[in-house]
Structures are given as C-alpha cells and as structure tokens.
Amino acid sequence: MKILVTGGTGYIGSHTVVELQNKGFEVVIVDSLFNSTADIADKIGMITGTKPTLEVFDLCDQEKTADFFKRHNDLRGVIHFAAHKAVGESVEKPLMYYRNNLESLINVMQGMTDNNIQNIVFSSSCTVYGQPDELPVSEKAPIKKAESPYGNTKQIAEEIISDTVSSGDLHSIALRYFNPIGAHETALIGELPIGVPNNLVPFITQTAIGLREQISVFGDDYNTPDGTAIRDYIHVVDLAKAHVIAIDRMINNKMKKDFEIFNLGTGNGYSVLEVIQSFEKVSRLKLNYKIVGRREGDIEKVWANPDFSNKELGWKAEQGLDEMIASSWKWEQELRSK
Ligand code: UD1
C-alpha cells in the first residue's frame, strides 16, 4: 500500500512517515527541502529500518507534479503536508504564501484526479476557528475571518478540497491541528526551526540550551487564570498516529462522508506560564523569562473538543504536557551535542 507524503521531511511529515512505515505502508516522500534536509530520510530509515523514497522537487511545478503522478499511479493515498507555515512571514509575503500553499495543493489534486487516486489527507489548523465563541471548540464551530494570509491559505484550501470532493473526483479528510510540540523518542527527528523560532516550545528549549538569552512571555493580562494565553499542546507522535488512522479509514471505505474534518488536540488547555513551569520541572533548570506585551494577532485561549475524533477515529492523544516537554528538551540537547 503505497502512500505519498508531501513535505515528508518536515516536522510533522517525518513523524508521520515513521508511523506509516511502522504500520507496513510503503512511503514515497516529495519535498522541496526549502525548510528541511535530505538526511531526514536517512534518520527515518534509522528508526524504522526502511529508508523512504525521497523525490526532491517543488509541487508548484505543474509538469514535474504531473509526471510524478504518472509514474506513481499505483498510489493508494496522499497525505499533503507541504506548505509554508510562518504566520509573520505570511503577512510580509502574502503572494508567496497563496501561490505556494494553494498552487501545490491544486497540482497535487490534479495529479490525483488524472490518475484516479482518490484519497487525500490535508493538514489544516485550529487557526481556522480564530478566537472561538465557545470552548472547548468542536468541528461545528464557525470559521472566523483569518488573522493572517497563512491562516487564510488553510481556509481556502479546505474550500478547494470541499468543491473538488463535491465534483465526485476525490475523498478527503482534513485534520485541524492544535499546537504540535515534542519530538520522536529516539531524538533522531524533531522540529528544526530555521533562525529565531516563533513558536513557544522551541524558544524555551533554545533559551535553556543557551542559544537565546531570554524568552518573552507575550502578555499576562489575558482573561485566563494566570493571565497568560492558553493553547492545546499535542505531541507530534500522537498527531502523526491520527494520520495513519485517517488514511486507513479512507482506503478501507470507512468514511461517513466524502469530506470529513477532525480536530487533533488533547482537550486540555495550558497557559504559557504552565508550559514554562512544566519545562522547569522536567529539566530541573530555571528558565530566564520576562513578561512583555501581547503579540499582535494572538488569540486569548483555545483548546479542542476532541470527542468527535476520539469516537469516530478511535484515536486519542496519549501524552501529557510533561512528557511532551521532556521529549522536546531531549531533542534540543541531542541536536546541540553534535
Ligand atoms: C501559531 C499560529 C498558528 C500556527 C502555529 C504553527 C499565530 C497567531 N498562530 O500558533 O496559526 O498554526 O503557530 O505552529 O501565530 N509565546 C510566548 N513567547 C514566545 C512564543 C510564544 O509567550 O516566544 C506564546 C504565544 O503568545 C502563545 C503561545 O505562546 O500564547 C503559543 O505560541 P506559538 O507556539 O507561537 O503558537 P500559536 O501562536 O498558538
């Protein structure tokens, strides 16, 4: 059972390739390597015993993408991760984000429909909910106007998929991720942010290891118990496992609708200060942090209602905050020890 994983050398993609191979799927990765490196395929091979095939090209290249699908018309499904994902950068370079994230999706779906490949799992985001009116947020919550071009590409992508599914050519599952953190237990793969990290946990671990002097906590005047913003952090391996279940559900015709949407979160919200406390506990270090003003565009609090995913997919996030933070810390230490 051959599966294409686009963006398979990236953070969530690489962990998903491992879980797919562990379940006996054959994986072909397509990645442009704009934000990852080819040696990730070797690392995956070290974990699973099988190095996945890696083809390096940009899925925005229509000809190359069409040629790829002609050569791989025996694919049983596609998991589409490949995309740009930096919120701030998307505000600076909106056209780059719309072009990259949407052209690649369109080319992939064209290649699929031309070759009668029907199943696509799409990487979506809880960003589509904005600041939800009700918490925890379920899949039925309304989509709010996107805060950034990045967020808008996820909303538009879901619409493009929905329309294509309605035309009868494809089946799809969109997975809306909350905040993925953590790394593989082997510490061979993890998140590799280029330059100064935007996200909380890489910033914490880079500060603790000495790469950054201090971490800023963006705002302590939110309407939350300790005043700092709340998110639903989920271990990347838990997230990866949900993709295997999703692709299996499609291949084995277990879908209830031709386009299904699932939240991937734990259902637990933690504040920025709780994440820092967890880090200090598991690392036995004191973190140098200071409270500063709010970050523009941030929402106050969001966490998932994962009931629908738990029930329909038979999936549940298993790892708790301390375990997740410990694996991020192990990965950071491993990375810098070389
Ligand atoms: C962000 C994006 C989201 C995207 C996700 C990808 C925004 C508004 N949202 O989520 O669309 O899918 O990244 O990973 O950008 N924080 C600090 N100090 C830091 C960094 C973060 O206090 O140095 C706080 C933030 O204010 C936030 C929380 O930590 O309250 C989590 O931030 P982050 O990891 O960047 O994720 P999101 O902003 O939730």
Side-chain angles (χ1 to χ4, degrees):
M1 291 237 231
K2 191 161 83 175
I3 306 293
L4 164 63
V5 179
T6 75
T9 54
Y11 175 43
I12 308 174
S14 58
H15 289 83
T16 300
V17 173
V18 167
E19 298 306 319
L20 283 166
Q21 290 187 327
N22 284 345
K23 290 280 183 215
F25 288 96
E26 180 190 344
V27 178
V28 181
I29 296 173
V30 171
D31 204 302
S32 70
L33 302 181
F34 87 96
N35 194 24
S36 61
T37 50
D39 68 323
I40 300 297
D42 301 316
K43 303 268 176 62
I44 293 170
M46 286 161 73
I47 296 172
T48 64
T50 310
K51 184 180 166 184
T53 307
L54 168 63
E55 293 203 21
V56 180
F57 66 90
D58 188 338
L59 290 159
C60 291
D61 186 323
Q62 204 176 344
E63 264 176 46
K64 283 187 184 156
T65 306
D67 172 67
F68 172 87
F69 278 100
K70 243 185 250 158
R71 287 185 288 110
H72 293 278
N73 59 10
D74 56 340
L75 285 166
R76 297 300 304 276
V78 175
I79 305 183
H80 184 53
F81 291 104
H84 291 337
K85 62 167 187 181
V87 175
E89 186 184 50
S90 79
V91 176
E92 310 275 312
K93 299 174 184 166
L95 294 181
M96 177 176 124
Y97 270 69
Y98 287 115
R99 187 184 297 282
N100 183 71
N101 291 6
L102 299 177
E103 272 189 9
S104 55
L105 173 70
I106 292 166
N107 289 344
V108 165
M109 292 203 299
Q110 187 70 59
M112 291 176 68
T113 54
D114 288 348
N115 292 282
N116 202 22
I117 300 160
Q118 289 195 330
N119 304 317
I120 180 166
V121 175
F122 177 68
S123 288
S124 191
S125 168
C126 71
T127 192
V128 302
Y129 300 121
Q131 176 61 65
D133 300 326
E134 275 175 42
L135 286 167
V137 62
S138 83
E139 293 82 352
K140 294 201 176 81
I143 302 295
K144 295 271 179 78
K145 184 175 162 33
E147 296 273 356
S148 69
Y150 158 77
N152 208 17
T153 67
K154 294 295 176 192
Q155 294 189 0
I156 296 169
E158 286 195 5
E159 287 175 358
I160 294 173
I161 293 169
S162 171
D163 289 344
T164 314
V165 167
S166 297
S167 78
D169 287 335
L170 288 175
H171 298 159
S172 181
I173 293 181
L175 300 174
R176 291 179 178 159
Y177 314 149
F178 284 69
N179 287 53
I181 61 169
H184 196 262
E185 59 183 358
T186 58
L188 283 165
I189 53 172
E191 190 174 9
L192 271 175
I194 293 177
V196 182
N198 293 307
N199 296 116
L200 178 64
V201 174
F203 210 111
I204 289 177
T205 57
Q206 288 197 9
T207 304
I209 206 92
L211 281 177
R212 319 264 153 225
E213 206 180 310
Q214 189 175 53
I215 171 156
S216 300
V217 173
F218 298 135
D220 69 348
D221 56 351
Y222 286 109
N223 182 23
T224 60
D226 66 21
T228 63
I230 295 178
R231 298 288 183 275
D232 185 337
Y233 297 92
I234 174 166
H235 198 287
V236 67
V237 173
D238 280 332
L239 201 70
K241 286 177 177 164
H243 292 75
V244 182
I245 294 170
I247 202 79
D248 186 71
R249 178 179 174 91
M250 303 183 93
I251 291 172
N252 292 305
N253 299 317
K254 288 187 279 191
M255 294 175 79
K256 304 256 166 84
K257 284 194 299 185
D258 291 342
F259 183 31
E260 295 181 323
I261 294 176
F262 295 103
N263 279 344
L264 295 184
T266 65
N268 302 312
Y270 291 101
S271 73
V272 177
L273 286 179
E274 283 174 318
V275 174
I276 290 176
Q277 279 153 15
S278 167
F279 178 80
E280 291 187 332
K281 186 168 92 189
V282 304
S283 68
R284 299 197 187 90
L285 293 171
K286 192 91 201 74
L287 193 70
N288 184 16
Y289 71 88
K290 73 162 185 250
I291 311 278
V292 300
R294 295 182 180 192
R295 179 172 69 178
E296 203 185 331
D298 268 352
I299 57 166
E300 184 167 86
K301 49 190 166 192
V302 64
W303 61 94
N305 177 341
D307 290 352
F308 186 57
S309 320
N310 293 167
K311 189 166 143 270
E312 270 301 317
L313 298 178
W315 165 90
K316 200 171 188 334
E318 282 164 5
Q319 303 204 43
L321 184 63
D322 290 349
E323 277 171 288
M324 299 192 239
I325 297 288
S327 81
S328 291
W329 181 226
K330 181 177 170 192
W331 160 247
E332 184 74 57
Q333 289 173 295
E334 193 66 30
L335 203 59
R336 310 301 164 187
S337 67
K338 288 175 190 127

